[in-house]
Amino acid sequence: MAPSAPPRIRLAARCRAVVDSPGFGAGVLALILCNAVLLGAETYSGFAAAHRELLAGAEDVFLALFAAELAVRAAACADRPKAFLRDPWNLFDLAVLLAAFLPLVRENTSVLRLLRLSRVLRTARFLPQLRVLLIAVGRAVPGTLSFLCVGALVVYVYAMVGWMCFADSDPVHFGSVGRACLTLFLLTTMDGFADAVRAGLELSRLTLLYYASYVLLASFVLVNVLIGVVLGSLEEAREQERQARLDLKQQNLPEPAGQTSAELRARLAEARRALDEVEAALARTPHPARADRPSDRASAVPGGGAPVGGALQAVAGPPA
């Protein structure tokens, strides 16, 4: 960074160097894990009662450190403030941090504990593979909702058929549509499938077709469709993460060593002036097509005049 740069630019460059360093990310990750351990320690009533003041002071220290971390990240975007707000992780960190200072939240122990627990999710920011998985889960939500609608429709249809066929003989499992839906939902996970088939065969062999068709459709076809949706979302999340890393590398390309932007612009202007001088010298040089005219013959022959020699000397420069 050139010394003549504005203070805001210099501050952003220094803080960006700190944020991009591996030690900063490792330190924040260790801070989040320590906070998680502190939350777990508070679940032991004897330990929490004996060290109540110590745990409260540790929570204040963690809150101050998280605030300092977010301040450094905000300062790293001092030259482009909108970039800080465009990052969803920054917005999440800001919301968690500011909510801890709200009076209603600090007075409610349960809400405050849930808020502190949400800090554990910040580990995804420093673990790329975990971040990819979370992005994939978010992208799979629309497809999962469609899967749930289709699955609910299949379960309801089979539940109505089961209620009509087995309500009198097996009222415990098919006495109503609700019980039938619950039974079929458990069969989706293959829980109690053998017992259901055994009980159905005592009534009729056609029940085997009912259970087999349902398990084939619900446990194999629909579940594989859901797996395909999740795998597609995972591939999209990996591509998004790869593109984000590429964009970050392109934005943080360093300048050539030992050369500032002003020096590069000066060298470019000098090269342009040299190019203009060469073009002017070439314009003063006679055209070859006019060399057979008597007036141009003397200048066309080697050593016959100064124009060609002067032009060549202007292009080549002074002799060494």
Side-chain angles (χ1 to χ4, degrees), residues 274 277-278 280-282 284-285 305-320:
E277 294 177 0
V278 172
L282 290 176
R284 292 193 299 267
T285 304
V308 177
L312 291 176
Q313 184 176 0
V315 176

Side-chain angles (χ1 to χ4, degrees), residues 1 9-19 72 76:
M1 180 61 60
I9 306 299
R10 293 201 301 268
L11 175 63
R14 292 173 182 173
C15 293
R16 194 177 300 120
V18 173
V19 170
V72 173

Side-chain angles (χ1 to χ4, degrees), residues 14 27 107 114 128 169 178 186 212 219 233 262 308:
R14 292 173 182 173
E107 294 173 0
L114 290 175
S169 58
L186 294 177
S219 297
S233 302
V308 177

Side-chain angles (χ1 to χ4, degrees), residues 41-58:
E42 291 180 355
T43 60
Y44 296 92
S45 56
F47 180 82
H51 303 85
R52 187 179 305 276
E53 295 181 359
L54 179 62
L55 293 177

Side-chain angles (χ1 to χ4, degrees), residues 127-173:
L127 299 177
Q129 295 301 325
L130 180 58
R131 183 167 62 247
V132 169
L133 289 178
L134 289 180
I135 295 176
V137 170
R139 286 181 170 271
V141 168
T144 305
L145 293 178
S146 302
F147 164 80
L148 291 178
C149 292
V150 176
L153 180 62
V154 171
V155 170
Y156 183 78
V157 170
Y158 271 84
M160 289 297 298
V161 174
W163 173 76
M164 290 186 294
C165 297
F166 311 124
D168 298 332
S169 58
D170 191 5
V172 176
H173 296 95

